[in-house]
């Protein structure tokens, strides 16, 4: 069965510092990988996605992520965080069986706290 | 922009009540999903649908049913609400075209069962 692990439940970063959120996955085939962000009381917004091709993908809000097949990882990075980046971040892998209708498997999330 | 709307942001129901959560998307997406989100557990898939009148169970379908009579609308039904169904419920939709699988989420419904 596929799974996603986000090892860090909480991360605290100073404003202006760099950020890396970790994501490891288990998947039997070529994965489709996603990072979503959830602000308090809101739904999830897609930050970026990886389907194939260049393993370094750029997303919205200055985020990027790198797919490393050998490490089964898809870590999210940002060179300089802003206070508005404080949110919950979810990594996801899918679909279940290669068909687009199936749901995604989500990690349990990483709560990002920004220190002034 | 894709828009996914959910009928209520907050809902309070009593144990044993029948509860309907409605979701509507405006982008003609084939696929629609219902997740529940709980602290420390992330998002878990309850049901999904890839076409009108079609449905598939996700990871935690027990205690829930769904209905999809029109392409744009996907309803989650709690036949007899229980306190352990207190949660945030998120609806999502996606378009299966050319291998594009990202899902677009609604704002969520926070359901409290007392």
């Amino acid at each position: 069965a596929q799974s996603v692990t986000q090892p860090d439940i909480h991360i605290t970063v100073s404003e202006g510092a760099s950020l890396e959120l970790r994501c490891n996955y288990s998947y039997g085939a070529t994965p489709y990988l996603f990072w979503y962000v959830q602000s308090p009381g809101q739904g999830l917004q897609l930050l970026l996605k990886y389907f194939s091709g260049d393993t370094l993908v750029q997303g919205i809000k200055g985020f990027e992520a790198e797919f490393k097949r050998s490490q089964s990882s898809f870590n999210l990075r940002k060179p300089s965080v802003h206070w508005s980046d404080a949110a919950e971040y979810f990594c996801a892998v899918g679909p279940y069986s290669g068909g687009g209708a199936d749901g995604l498997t989500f990690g349990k999330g990483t709560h990002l706290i920004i220190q002034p | 922009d894709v828009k996914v709307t959910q009928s209520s942001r907050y809902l309070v129901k009593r144990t044993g009540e029948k509860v309907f959560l409605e979701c509507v998307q405006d982008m003609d997406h084939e696929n629609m999903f219902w997740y529940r989100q709980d602290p420390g557990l992330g998002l878990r898939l309850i049901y999904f649908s890839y076409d009108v009148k079609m449905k598939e169970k996700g990871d935690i379908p027990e205690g829930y049913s769904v209905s999809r009579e029109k392409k744009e609308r996907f309803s989650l039904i709690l036949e007899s609400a229980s306190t352990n169904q207190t949660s945030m419920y998120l609806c999502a939709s996606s378009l299966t075209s050319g291998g594009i699988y990202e899902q677009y989420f609604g704002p969520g419904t926070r359901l409290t069962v007392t």
Side-chain angles (χ1 to χ4, degrees), chain A residues 22-90:
Chain A
R22 296 183 291 164
C23 172
N24 293 97
Y25 66 90
S26 173
Y27 194 76
T30 301
Y32 294 80
L33 294 159
F34 308 83
W35 274 100
Y36 284 86
V37 61
Q38 184 181 34
S39 298
Q42 303 297 316
L44 276 68
Q45 180 183 21
L46 181 68
L47 281 175
L48 48 77
K49 59 185 183 279
Y50 172 78
F51 294 154
S52 64
D54 192 346
T55 56
L56 184 64
V57 293
Q58 303 296 321
I60 62 171
K61 303 186 181 186
F63 285 92
E64 66 178 26
E66 186 171 12
F67 170 58
K68 292 185 177 180
R69 185 187 299 275
S70 61
Q71 298 177 17
S72 297
S73 70
F74 188 56
N75 293 348
L76 182 71
R77 301 194 294 249
K78 187 170 185 178
S80 176
V81 297
H82 186 262
W83 64 266
S84 60
D85 293 324
E88 192 84 16
Y89 290 80
F90 293 94

Side-chain angles (χ1 to χ4, degrees), chain B residues 40-69:
Chain B
L41 297 179
L43 278 75
R44 294 177 291 168
L45 182 64
I46 304 172
Y47 267 98
F48 63 94
S49 168
Y50 53 88
D51 202 352
V52 175
K53 297 190 185 296
M54 305 302 290
K55 61 185 180 184
E56 294 286 343
K57 294 179 180 179
D59 294 323
I60 52 165
E62 296 78 18
Y64 303 94
S65 62
V66 291
S67 173
R68 192 164 180 203
E69 297 296 320

Side-chain angles (χ1 to χ4, degrees), chain B residues 10-109:
Chain B
Y10 300 94
L11 209 52
V12 180
K13 295 292 182 181
R14 294 191 181 275
T15 300
E17 277 192 86
K18 190 169 187 175
V19 181
F20 292 87
L21 303 182
E22 304 285 339
C23 175
V24 177
Q25 50 94 3
D26 67 356
M27 286 301 291
D28 204 35
H29 284 177
E30 291 97 346
N31 308 319
M32 297 188 75
F33 309 83
W34 276 106
Y35 295 89
R36 66 176 281 177
Q37 181 180 17
D38 300 288
L41 297 179
L43 278 75
R44 294 177 291 168
L45 182 64
I46 304 172
Y47 267 98
F48 63 94
S49 168
Y50 53 88
D51 202 352
V52 175
K53 297 190 185 296
M54 305 302 290
K55 61 185 180 184
E56 294 286 343
K57 294 179 180 179
D59 294 323
I60 52 165
E62 296 78 18
Y64 303 94
S65 62
V66 291
S67 173
R68 192 164 180 203
E69 297 296 320
K70 294 184 177 182
K71 190 175 185 179
E72 67 271 17
R73 188 179 298 270
F74 192 36
S75 301
L76 180 69
I77 304 157
L78 288 64
E79 294 290 341
S80 178
S82 64
T83 55
N84 63 13
Q85 292 178 310
T86 291
S87 187
M88 170 72 95
Y89 290 88
L90 292 166
C91 175
S93 71
S94 73
L95 176 66
T96 306
S97 174
I100 299 172
Y101 298 93
E102 64 259 42
Q103 296 182 12
Y104 297 87
F105 284 82
T109 295

